Amino acid sequence: MRLLRSTDLALRVLMRLAVADGDACPTTREVAADMEVPYTHAAKVVAELQRMELLVARRGRGGGLALTEQGRGASVGAVVRSFEGGAGDVVDCEGSAPCPLRSACRLRSALRQAQEAFYASLDPLTVADVVAAPTGPLLLGISSRD
């Protein structure tokens, strides 16, 4: 299973904000530069994370991005599910060329169970958990402001 780029970026943005100094709120541009991604991609992800109430974005002088308490305690599994579009099928059995085995296939349900096991293994992890050492200090080392 491979995560969407937006999912990967969402997790990295949350992690970056989790280690930000409380007074220094990085901007979306700064986070994009830190993560070495295009600003437009970062802006879309930030907008979705803001909609999910995991971060706040303030405009103007002294503005920037800040993680909410809900964001700090957010389940990594829940974030991944949200960005990945829930628990859809791993394989497309009903697409433009439907699989001839779809009515009696056991593989489809096995893949769905494996996918749910993947999400379930991420559920107990929080954003705060994944920025513990050695990750947090490394994130601080690559930031453009801190």
Side-chain angles (χ1 to χ4, degrees):
M1 184 170 167
R2 177 175 229 146
L3 296 179
L4 297 171
R5 285 185 178 170
S6 59
T7 305
D8 174 46
L9 182 54
L11 293 171
R12 290 190 286 149
V13 167
L14 291 171
M15 292 168 65
R16 170 61 184 89
L17 295 178
V19 298
D21 182 2
D23 296 333
C25 296
T27 65
T28 302
R29 272 194 204 288
E30 290 166 339
V31 170
D34 291 347
M35 298 298 122
E36 299 179 359
V37 298
Y39 167 76
T40 54
H41 293 172
K44 287 178 186 176
V45 165
V46 163
E48 180 61 17
L49 291 171
Q50 187 174 13
R51 187 196 64 73
M52 295 169 66
E53 300 180 357
L54 301 180
L55 62 80
V56 292
R58 292 182 212 98
R59 300 187 107 163
R61 180 172 282 194
L65 306 174
L67 198 60
T68 64
E69 279 305 311
Q70 182 178 336
R72 186 170 302 284
S75 162
V76 171
V79 173
V80 171
R81 272 188 191 87
S82 179
F83 274 84
E84 292 291 315
D89 286 334
V90 175
V91 294
D92 183 11
C93 300
E94 305 294 337
S96 59
C99 176
L101 303 174
R102 70 186 179 278
S103 64
C105 183
R106 297 177 65 177
L107 179 60
R108 185 180 190 179
S109 66
L111 290 172
R112 184 173 288 168
Q113 288 174 347
Q115 181 183 32
E116 187 49 43
F118 170 76
Y119 289 134
S121 70
L122 296 175
D123 284 340
L125 289 173
T126 66
V127 171
D129 293 335
V130 296
V131 296
T135 306
L138 179 62
L139 278 165
L140 286 173
I142 64 170
S143 101
S144 60
R145 278 183 68 174
D146 294 338

